[in-house]
Amino acid sequence: AAIKGFSVAGKTGTSQKIVNGAYSHSKYYASFIGFVPAEKAAFVLLVTADEPKRSHYGGTVAAPTFKNIAIRVLRHMNIKPTKPEELNDSE
């Protein structure tokens, strides 16, 4: 969920679904909720995946989607980077 030039705050979530009154060991929800910039949020974004296929962890399923959407929202809202020095790093 990291975005160059911005501080991002957020939390991943992974939860088992209830199937026939018991926790499933094969069906999950994956999530990530975060806000950007962390110092003074311009928006809050929640991404959830119902029964993701390749992985079921919020950090590997929902966080990358959060990042992709958040970058577009930051551009749309014309939010300037809060950590511009990171934009010059050559990673």
Side-chain angles (χ1 to χ4, degrees):
I3 301 171
K4 275 193 172 190
F6 292 92
S7 294
V8 177
K11 179 70 179 109
T12 61
T14 304
S15 60
Q16 294 169 287
K17 293 181 84 170
I18 299 291
V19 177
N20 297 323
Y23 287 112
S24 171
H25 294 287
S26 62
K27 297 181 185 289
Y28 297 87
Y29 292 108
S31 63
F32 185 87
I33 187 165
F35 55 93
V36 185
E39 304 84 1
K40 186 177 180 186
F43 61 90
V44 175
L45 175 62
L46 169 66
V47 175
T48 61
D50 185 358
E51 296 185 26
K53 301 297 180 215
R54 294 188 181 130
S55 175
H56 61 268
Y57 298 108
T60 56
V61 174
T65 303
F66 170 93
K67 176 182 179 175
N68 292 335
I69 296 169
I71 288 170
R72 294 178 70 174
V73 172
L74 288 164
R75 287 183 187 143
H76 177 76
M77 294 178 70
N78 199 30
I79 306 295
K80 302 297 180 212
T82 56
K83 299 166 77 177
E85 66 279 2
E86 288 184 357
L87 299 174
N88 297 324
D89 289 347
S90 59
E91 286 184 44

